[in-house]
C-alpha cells in the first residue's frame, strides 16, 4: 500500500461524525490525523491511514503540538475538519454563565484555536477548512440557545474567513447536518437533565413543559436521524470537489429547514416551532 501524499486533520474523532469521517477520509487515500481526548479512544481508532492524536481543542499545548506535527510532516494539509463539539441546552434564564462559557470554549474558541494553528499550513497547501455547523446554526429552537448561539457564531466566523482567504485559493465550507444518530443525543439529554435539576422552583414552573418538549425533540432526533456515515460522505465530497459549495446540508430535515429559514418570517417560524415541539 502506498503512503498517502496528503494530510487531513479531523477533530473530535472518538465517536459519531468525527469517527465516521476519519475512517471515510482514510479510505479516500488521505493520511488522517484524528483528534481524540483519551488514550483508549486512540487505541480503538488507530488503523491504516488513521493516526490518532491526543487533542483537546481547549488545551493550548495540545493545539500547539498539532500545529508542530503538521508543520513538521512535509506533506500537504488538504483539509481541516472542525468537528469536535458539545451540546449544552437549557432555557436562557436558567443557565449559569460558566455553562455558556463552556459551550463557547469548545464549540467556538476551540474551533478558532485549531483553525489559527493550522492556517499557515492550509494557506501553504491551498487546503480547505471544513466547519461542522448544524441546523441549529440557522434556526434557534427554544431551549437550544447555547448550542445554537455557538453554531450561529461559527457561521459568521466561516463567512468572514472564507472572504479573507478566498484570494489565496483556500476554501471554507460549512457542513449543516440535521439530526444524526450519535452520542450527542445521550450526552445532550444527560446534560439537560443535570441542568434542570439546578433550576429554582419558579424556573421549574416556567420551563418544565419546555424541557419535557426538549427531551421529546432530542429523542425524535435520535430516532429519525441519519447515520454518521452519511455526514462523512458529504464531508468527503466537500474535500474532493474541484470547486466546493460554501455550504452543504446533511439529511432530509436540514435540506428542508435551511432554505425555509431564509424566507420564513420570525413570527411564523415561532409558531411552527411551538407546534413542532407540541408546546401549544
Ligand atoms: N448528532 C447530530 O444530530 C448533529 C447535528 C448537527 C451537527 N452536529 C455536530 O457534529 C459534530 C460532531 O458531533 P456528533 O454528533 O458526532 O457527537 P459526538 O459523537 O458526541 O462527538 C463529539 C466529538 O467531539 C469531541 N469533543 C468534545 N469536546 C471536545 C474537546 N474539548 N476537544 C476535543 N474534542 C472534543 C468528543 O470527544 P469525547 O469522546 O472525548 O467527548 C467527540 O469525539 C459536532 O460539532 C456537532 O455539533 C451533530
Amino acid at each position: 500500500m502506498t503512503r498517502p501524499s496528503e494530510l487531513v486533520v479531523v477533530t473530535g474523532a472518538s465517536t459519531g461524525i468525527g469517527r465516521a469521517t476519519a475512517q471515510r477520509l482514510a479510505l479516500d487515500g488521505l493520511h488522517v490525523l484524528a483528534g481524540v481526548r483519551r488514550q483508549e479512544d486512540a487505541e480503538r481508532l488507530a488503523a491504516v491511514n488513521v493516526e490518532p492524536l491526543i487533542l483537546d481543542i481547549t488545551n493550548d499545548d495540545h493545539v500547539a503540538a498539532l500545529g508542530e506535527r503538521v508543520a513538521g510532516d512535509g506533506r500537504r494539509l488538504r483539509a481541516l475538519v472542525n468537528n469536535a463539539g458539545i451540546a449544552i441546552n437549557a432555557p436562557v434564564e436558567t443557565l449559569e454563565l460558566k455553562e455558556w462559557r463552556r459551550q463557547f470554549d469548545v464549540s467556538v474558541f476551540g474551533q478558532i484555536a485549531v483553525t489559527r494553528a493550522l492556517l499557515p499550513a492550509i494557506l501553504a497547501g491551498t487546503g480547505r477548512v471544513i466547519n461542522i455547523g448544524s441546523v441549529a446554526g440557522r434556526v434557534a429552537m427554544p431551549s437550544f440557545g447555547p448550542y445554537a448561539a455557538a453554531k450561529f457564531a461559527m457561521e459568521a466566523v466561516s463567512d468572514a474567513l472564507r472572504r479573507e482567504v478566498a484570494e489565496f485559493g483556500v476554501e471554507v465550507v460549512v457542513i449543516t447536518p440535521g439530526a444524526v444518530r450519535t452520542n450527542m443525543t445521550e450526552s445532550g439529554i444527560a446534560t439537560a437533565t443535570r441542568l434542570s435539576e439546578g433550576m429554582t422552583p419558579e424556573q421549574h414552573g416556567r420551563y418544565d413543559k419546555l424541557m419535557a418538549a426538549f427531551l421529546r425533540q432530542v429523542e425524535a432526533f435520535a430516532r429519525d436521524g441519519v447515520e454518521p456515515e452519511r455526514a462523512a460522505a458529504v464531508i468527503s465530497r466537500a474535500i474532493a470537489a474541484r470547486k466546493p459549495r460554501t455550504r452543504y446540508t446533511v439529511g432530509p430535515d436540514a435540506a428542508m429547514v435551511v432554505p425555509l429559514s431564509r424566507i420564513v418570517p420570525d413570527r411564523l417560524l415561532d409558531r411552527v416551532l411551538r407546534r413542532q415541539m407540541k408546546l401549544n
Side-chain angles (χ1 to χ4, degrees):
M1 182 169 287
T2 54
R3 179 177 183 261
S5 60
E6 296 180 322
L7 300 177
V8 62
V9 171
V10 180
T11 66
S14 64
T15 54
I17 295 172
R19 181 170 61 192
T21 300
Q23 291 166 343
R24 170 62 195 248
L25 297 179
L27 286 177
D28 289 349
L30 296 162
H31 184 82
V32 183
L33 299 176
V36 296
R37 292 195 293 176
R38 285 173 297 271
Q39 193 53 39
E40 63 260 33
D41 289 327
E43 282 156 22
R44 204 155 1 102
L45 193 63
V48 176
N49 295 350
V50 180
E51 177 187 335
L53 299 176
I54 296 297
L55 176 66
D56 180 330
I57 62 171
T58 65
N59 181 315
D60 293 344
D61 294 339
H62 290 184
V63 173
L66 172 69
E68 282 162 23
R69 167 71 185 81
V70 169
D73 188 276
R75 285 176 282 185
R76 175 188 181 212
L77 178 59
R78 175 84 174 268
L80 159 64
V81 182
N82 278 315
N83 167 76
I86 56 171
I88 298 179
N89 290 306
V92 172
E93 183 196 345
T94 67
L95 196 66
E96 286 183 26
L97 263 191
K98 71 171 196 292
E99 300 286 356
W100 286 88
R101 290 199 172 104
R102 200 160 70 85
Q103 177 70 67
F104 273 68
D105 275 344
V106 178
S107 299
V108 181
F109 304 129
Q111 316 287 342
I112 294 171
V114 175
T115 304
R116 292 188 65 239
L118 295 184
L119 255 187
I122 291 169
L123 285 161
T126 56
R128 287 181 187 173
V129 179
I130 312 287
N131 289 332
I132 310 306
S134 169
V135 166
R138 312 300 299 241
V139 175
M141 295 175 75
S143 73
F144 286 79
Y147 179 71
K151 291 296 186 186
F152 267 72
M154 283 310 297
E155 293 281 330
V157 172
S158 303
D159 280 342
L161 181 63
R162 186 182 69 252
R163 291 164 184 155
E164 288 160 7
V165 295
E167 66 175 298
F168 310 117
V170 170
E171 298 279 358
V172 179
V173 176
V174 181
I175 307 292
T176 309
V180 182
R181 243 176 271 159
T182 69
N183 283 1
M184 199 158 266
T185 315
E186 236 169 78
S187 58
I189 289 175
T191 305
T193 306
R194 172 177 64 77
L195 294 170
S196 281
E197 284 160 7
M199 291 194 318
T200 65
E202 292 77 21
Q203 289 172 343
H204 274 294
R206 277 194 283 280
Y207 301 119
D208 274 358
K209 197 170 76 160
L210 176 59
M211 288 315 283
F214 165 83
L215 293 176
R216 282 198 304 275
Q217 189 70 48
V218 175
E219 278 158 11
F221 288 159
R223 194 182 54 238
D224 305 335
V226 299
E227 293 301 327
E229 286 71 21
R230 183 121 157 224
V234 175
I235 294 164
S236 160
R237 193 143 39 92
I239 292 173
R242 201 175 56 78
K243 180 78 189 157
R245 304 207 313 251
T246 58
R247 287 180 163 79
Y248 293 78
T249 58
V250 178
D253 49 351
M256 186 179 69
V257 172
V258 170
L260 277 182
S261 70
R262 293 199 195 98
I263 51 172
V264 176
D266 288 345
R267 299 283 184 203
L268 176 56
L269 196 52
D270 294 352
R271 287 200 294 277
V272 170
L273 293 176
R274 283 193 72 79
R275 190 166 319 147
Q276 187 193 337
M277 293 183 80
K278 300 191 173 64
L279 283 166
N280 293 329

